[in-house]
Amino acid sequence: MELAYYSDYAVRLVNTEEPARGRDGLTSVEAVKELFGEASQMARRVTDADLTRFRAIRSRLRAVFTAADEGDHTGAVDLLNSLLLEFPVSPQISGHDTLDEEGRPRWHMHLADHSSNATAGYAAISAMGLAFHLTEFGADRLGLCQAPPCRNAYLDTSTNRSRRYCSDRCATRANVAAYRARKRLEAERADGADRTSRTTENSQPSTTPAER
């Protein structure tokens, strides 16, 4: 498993909250456990105390995405480094039970979990995964959705660094809104030009037959 894969953990956690809509998806232990996905062994350690701790880590991870999205790449790195220092990881080589065509283990780097609680473990792999993604692809690949009111985090993996939305749904919604805004502006301009034309015509001096 590539270490950059773990960056998805950061995105997953950040997007449990929709600040502009006042929504919070972290309301139960089960909701926290779902964040771990396939890492079921780590999820078994989640307790009620992790709810508050997970929300705190979520705020710090969102701050990383916000800084990167605003072009403050040094700030994003500083925030991420503080998480890495506070929640260190232990990389290990793992092969699990997967074999290649020649019957050899498919060796890969894996982040082992030796943390004291579920929050520390999740924070460690999220921060490390995000760090690998940032250093490999650049801080400008971390973004927040530009379709208001959505501000979901995303990782830009496009070839031309053009991603601006967290999903196709938000991209479509933003494009429709932009199209309608253009049409309204065109209609307003046309209406304004028409009123100006009528005003000009009405202001022209009239002549009587005698004057001719």
Side-chain angles (χ1 to χ4, degrees):
M1 183 181 297
E2 296 181 2
L3 294 180
Y5 161 84
Y6 289 101
S7 58
D8 287 338
Y9 282 78
V11 174
R12 203 179 303 165
L13 176 56
V14 171
N15 291 346
T16 60
E17 181 184 32
E18 297 179 86
R21 293 188 173 102
R23 298 176 184 172
D24 188 345
L26 289 184
T27 58
S28 66
V29 169
E30 289 304 316
V32 174
K33 288 181 177 180
E34 289 178 3
L35 290 171
F36 286 91
E38 297 177 359
S40 56
Q41 292 184 348
M42 296 174 64
R44 295 192 189 102
R45 301 164 57 191
V46 177
T47 66
D48 289 334
D50 285 301
L51 273 172
T52 301
R53 292 195 290 251
F54 260 73
R55 292 188 186 118
I57 297 301
R58 179 179 63 188
S59 296
R60 295 173 66 180
L61 288 172
R62 176 172 283 279
V64 174
F65 279 92
T66 299
D69 187 67
E70 294 175 349
D72 183 9
H73 297 168
T74 299
V77 169
D78 289 343
L79 291 168
L80 192 50
N81 273 335
S82 68
L83 285 166
L84 292 170
L85 287 171
E86 186 174 346
F87 302 102
V89 296
S90 300
Q92 292 182 347
I93 300 174
S94 176
H96 297 300
D97 298 321
T98 306
L99 304 179
D100 61 18
E101 294 78 5
E102 298 181 10
R104 297 173 303 190
R106 295 182 183 274
W107 301 114
H108 60 268
M109 292 300 296
H110 175 77
L111 298 183
D113 177 32
H114 302 302
S115 56
S116 58
N117 57 67
T119 303
Y122 196 97
I125 60 177
S126 296
M128 182 57 74
L130 209 54
F132 272 98
H133 191 95
L134 185 150
T135 53
E136 182 174 354
F137 302 107
D140 58 342
R141 294 290 188 143
L142 279 59
L144 294 174
C145 187
Q146 299 301 302
C150 180
R151 294 293 284 166
N152 276 352
Y154 65 82
L155 300 170
D156 184 4
T157 57
S158 63
T159 56
N160 57 354
R161 300 172 184 265
S162 61
R163 185 171 180 179
R164 295 294 179 270
Y165 307 104
C166 68
S167 64
D168 290 340
R169 179 181 180 183
C170 277
T172 299
R173 183 161 54 85
N175 289 334
V176 170
Y179 173 79
R180 289 175 176 171
R182 286 196 302 271
K183 288 299 182 182
R184 283 196 300 270
L185 181 59
E186 291 172 1
E188 290 171 0
R189 287 176 175 172
D191 184 56
D194 184 57
R195 286 199 301 269
T196 300
S197 177
R198 289 198 301 270
T199 300
T200 301
E201 291 176 356
N202 294 334
S203 65
Q204 294 294 326
S206 59
T207 58
T208 63
E211 290 175 331
R212 298 197 196 99

